[in-house]
Amino acid sequence: MRLYLYYLIALGSSYVTSTYGPHQRAQMTGDILLGGLFPIHFGVASKDQDLAARPESTQCVRFNFRGFRWLQAMIFAIDEINNSSTLLPNITLGYRIFDTCNTVSKALEATLSFVAQNKIDSLNLDEFCNCTDHIPSTIAVVGATGSTVSTAVANLLGLFYIPQISYASSSRLLSNKNQYKSFMRTIPTDEYQATAMADIIEYFQWNWVIAVASDDDYGRPGIEKFEKEMEERDICIHLNELISQYFVDHEIKALADRIENSSAKVIVVFASGPDVEPLVKEMVRRNVTDRIWLASEAWASSSLIAKPEYLDVVAGTIGFALRGGHIPGFREFLQHVQPKRDSHNEFVREFWEETFNCYLEDSPRLRESENGSTTFRPLCTGEEDITSVETPYLDYKHLRISYNVYVAVYSIAQALQDILTCTPGRGLFANNSCADIKKVEAWQVLKQLRHLNYTNSMGEKMHFDENADLAANYTIINWHRSTEDGSVIFEEVGFYSMHAKRGAKLSIDKTKILWNGHSSEVPFSNCSEECDPGTRKGLIDSMPTCCFECTECSDGEYSNHKDASVCTKCPNNSWSNGNHTFCFLKEIEFLSWTEPFGIALAICAVLGVVLTAFVMGVFVKFRNTPIVKATNRELSYVLLFSLVCCFSSSLIFIGEPQNWTCRLRQPAFGVSFVLCISCILVKTNRVLLVFEAKIPTSLHRKWWGLNLQFLLVFLCTFVQVVICVVWLYNAPPSSYRNYDIDEIIFITCNEGSVMALGFLIGYTCLLAAICFFFAFKSRKLPENFTEAKFITFSMLIFFIVWLSFFPAYFSTYGKFVSAVEVIAILASSFGLLACIFFNKVYIILFKPSRNTIEEVRCSTAAHAFKVAAKATLKHSTASKKKSNSIGGSSGSTPSSSISLKTNSNDCDQSSGKHRPRVSFGSGTVTLSLSFEESRRSSLM
């Protein structure tokens, strides 16, 4: 144990003399020490270590003026705090700042210096030696820049809970607090930047891009998040490439070949300036000037890329820059830097030499130049005017990373101030205790930083969220060429705020953007040409979804904007125009009163009503004539009334269908026709029974009385009424708009139940069939009763019409359905009217000689004698057969002849009697039939 303790004492003593860590540093002692990690150089010299001898430390190359300005921002903030009377009074902050050379190895070397110093300081060696030059522990580290470097540093500092606040590391992986316990940052995470990039691509309606990312912990997670965002927006990445500043020439050329041969015009680059520079150089060599670069914040304002000689290629670049801030007095601080005045900052000498392209006296590089290992430069005094040269170091117009460094230092100082002013019992530590500012440790500062909440000098609220990140706010810049000296100008063209409301996150002023440095027209970067309105995107087999062919919208669909993914179906009451760019209202059609077809049908229906009314008028006027009486006057009136109803019912089918018309028209038609057919049926059957009766008895007269006839008509009609009532109750018809036809809306009636309609028409046809049967059977009645023949014809017409109706009804659509039924109603109604009544009207009006009682009696008697003659002949034939069967063939019977002679001359017009003669063989029998008018009327 004692040996171990002596070893530590020796180690501590050696530490005092050798000051562990990289030799080149910026260092100032103080009561509390802060560490800093900055990329003062862009990289290290590539050197093959064959291990033939002890490996030498790699040399950093290519001075980074912006990195040096960031270092100066930390020193400036610490000087301000030390000179403040309100922030950490009587406490001096010191610093130890190292160069990471933008590499992990150099950063870890510096980080080990912080950790080793803290471990030595924790041993409390003051009791063993007098360490007058003792350096206190580093209680927090500001840095590093690149996410890959910060990841390595965070892994090491997290082991000892040393807080690390990065000003430029934006990798979303660093938000994992389970792995990076002590990491914090004043720059937004790439989680937001990837979303912002995808929003910009969507904003400019690009869908075919190239993605390039650095092969490190910054580029890979960032582009991975970017890919997810693009997939959600249905935007395609044609090429997805990795890049590194350490790529050899053939790798860079192969990558440039793929980019140059790609049809995508937008290149999204998630990388740092040193990683992008080799690719940009190759594109400049090839003079590829038709590409648009979308830059992440790591190189959006990089001095390595923003050079006048590169502008032909990168002009018009859209970049995400961090929110700028104002640092009062920082400009003067930068201008007053001098090697002799800033002896505590060893980087100032190299900065001076690189700025004025010279060597200071006693410079190691001067000796190298004398040996011929470096380029010759003249000597400089160190008192040159820094404002006389153009250098990125003095670009203080847009302080972004420098401001983040400034905020990081002040956040640490504010945490220390909270520890200093902590009231016992209200602290953040065990039992609400407070930390001792004189013996404060790194883990206590980390605890205080996690609960930090303050307002800085610019009035901004500073607070780290649960992932130790700040709110995401970006300024969108566009690279312009200066008209004065041709240098790069970063023109602010918009902003992006992740925590703003949806739709207000991205704001861009298109009028300020110059594409490719000169054009105001947004470049085209799509796999396929945009589809015009009236078409939609159609997928192409084996191609990404962003590559498509334009397919015309189907009929009834439209698209009114370019690049429509789908065509929108027109509303039911609309149809697409010929170009499928909009929908127009469909034409509404129905069997209208105003169209020629409707007018013609209405005229026919009215004509039918007029003719029927005329016939009824004739019958009423000549009601006492034999023809009218012989046709059953009362039933004829009912029949004519039913025909008026039939013609009138057809008018309900014309006009725009309404619910009430739909429910009225079929029952009206059905009941009217059944009433009509019932009257005809009763009339036909009555006449048949009267003339087939041998002797009209009182039973016949009673059975076929007028009251019973009307009762039968009522019963037949009542059945149809019941069918209609059941139909209307269970499935009432209603108005219906048929949208199935292109460009037309047919307003029709939905019958509710086709079966009910079939029952209605079927029942009517059944009565018509029965009527036809009786009419056919009555076809041989007296000439004055040839009405049965006409009824037979009318029923034939009825059947032909309605048998044709069904196929026509079910094969048509729209307004023609109503028209077919109207035609069927009119045709059958006219058939009934013409066949049954027109011949009678003709006799009444034009043949009055035939409309007499004698004419009726004569034809009736003739029919009676015909029947009697048939009966006598039948009786004689039967008697003859009987006598032959008895007498055998012993004798012959003389033949008998029967002749019936009737003649109009045989009718005695004066007596009013008709005496036909019936002859049997050689004899003559005269029969006299006399019907009183009253008896005939009762029978007829």
Side-chain angles (χ1 to χ4, degrees), residues 343-362:
S343 58
H344 61 278
N345 188 347
E346 298 179 9
F347 299 108
V348 174
R349 296 178 63 84
E350 185 178 359
F351 160 73
W352 205 263
E353 293 175 350
E354 293 296 327
T355 300
F356 294 100
N357 195 24
C358 65
Y359 290 127
L360 294 169
E361 294 182 2
D362 300 329

Side-chain angles (χ1 to χ4, degrees), residues 132 142 155 205 226 255 270 343 392 428 452 470 540 543 864 931:
T132 56
V142 177
N155 280 321
Q205 298 180 359
F226 175 74
L255 174 59
F270 238 105
S343 58
L428 299 176
L452 187 66
L470 292 179
I540 303 176
M543 293 293 289
F931 293 89

